[in-house]
Amino acid sequence: MTTPPSPSAVDCYDYPQYWDLAFRDETLFEADFVESAFEKYARLPLRTILEPGCGGGRLMVELAKRGYQVSGFDLSEPSVRYVQQRLRRRSLPGEVFVGDMTDFTLAKPVDCVVNFVNTFRHLTTEEAALAHLQHVAAALRSGGLFLLGFHLIPLDADPECTERSTARHGQTKVTLTLRVVDFNRRRRLERIRFNLRVKSGQRDLKLQSEYDYRLYTRKQFLQLLAKVPQLELCGTFDFNYDIDEPVPLDDELSDAVFVLRKRDE
Ligand SMILES: C[S@@+](CC[C@H](N)C(=O)[O-])C[C@H]1O[C@@H](n2cnc3c(N)ncnc32)[C@H](O)[C@@H]1O
């Protein structure tokens, strides 16, 4: 038996090919949800989509394949380069750039903005989160949608939490373990340790990062949303992404996907 290498402390987001693989099973559900939410709630046809914090671009690439005009940005330069290459290799159009969710402007407004899998919770202060919502509202056309998915942490949630998932593609096997290593309800922060183990042929890579996430109860998110009156809450779903199964926005809900529509100006 070989001894696994010790994990290297890196920014896991600078390894988008592995991060992306770990979440690829979600992609088709998310892309289908974008289309069906648009059909049900938007007041315009879907042509242009922006993904802030696009990571390795799994969703952008899928949406570009379906014929939408996609754009996206991320703080991580390796991620941005990776998505640019992926689009180029498939001869798909799309604009990808380095940018910050709290401060971005687009040359033209878009029909839809998508932000799934807790990316929003990387904004660890109320000011940063508010700035994101305000910039999204400014980037949207009236009648367009902002689809926002992240974990609400109900007051009675167990702060001790570990999740593990494994994904395979060809010879490559990626195991992602997420562990809450600090939880502070008063400061509204939890610290999550990511362990990414990649095995591919002779290769055995162990990467480790820790990220702070902002905590939200249902009430705290609604209080934040009330500060951005341009965005209207149309429906709430869970991570099953089933448009025919809206879920009640109550204190039980943890895996929340919000459908927000830009009001007429
Ligand atoms: C959880 S990953 C999600 C990636 C991608 N959206 C997906 O669903 O696969 C979060 C991404 O957000 C990016 N990120 C974190 N803070 C950011 C910020 N302030 N502005 C832009 N991107 C940010 C990270 O670099 C990372 O790629």
Side-chain angles (χ1 to χ4, degrees), residues 46-92:
L46 178 57
R47 293 196 188 97
T48 52
I49 305 173
L50 170 75
E51 185 178 16
C54 60
R58 57 189 180 84
L59 186 55
M60 275 185 75
V61 170
E62 176 58 30
L63 291 166
K65 279 202 244 167
R66 296 184 187 199
Y68 301 107
Q69 218 175 301
V70 296
S71 54
F73 63 85
D74 201 284
L75 272 187
S76 156
E77 285 183 30
S79 292
V80 167
R81 278 198 300 273
Y82 180 71
V83 187
Q84 287 168 338
Q85 271 169 17
R86 282 179 89 174
L87 291 169
R88 210 178 306 126
R89 214 178 300 132
R90 292 171 174 77
S91 302
L92 291 168

Side-chain angles (χ1 to χ4, degrees), residues 242-256:
D242 185 345
I243 200 67
D244 297 321
E245 296 284 341
V247 296
L249 179 51
D250 55 23
D251 286 322
E252 307 290 301
L253 181 63
S254 162
D255 304 344

Side-chain angles (χ1 to χ4, degrees), residues 120 126-127 129-130 133-134 150 152 155 188 214-229 231 233 249 251 258 260:
F120 173 63
E126 188 78 355
E127 296 71 41
L130 178 59
L133 298 186
Q134 287 169 335
F150 66 97
L152 295 169
L155 287 173
R188 291 188 51 191
R214 187 161 173 78
L215 298 173
Y216 289 91
T217 59
R218 174 190 66 88
K219 190 170 159 203
Q220 285 164 338
F221 177 63
L222 289 177
Q223 281 168 346
L224 172 67
L225 192 57
K227 296 179 189 170
V228 193
L231 295 175
L233 180 57
L249 179 51
D251 286 322
F258 298 95
L260 303 161

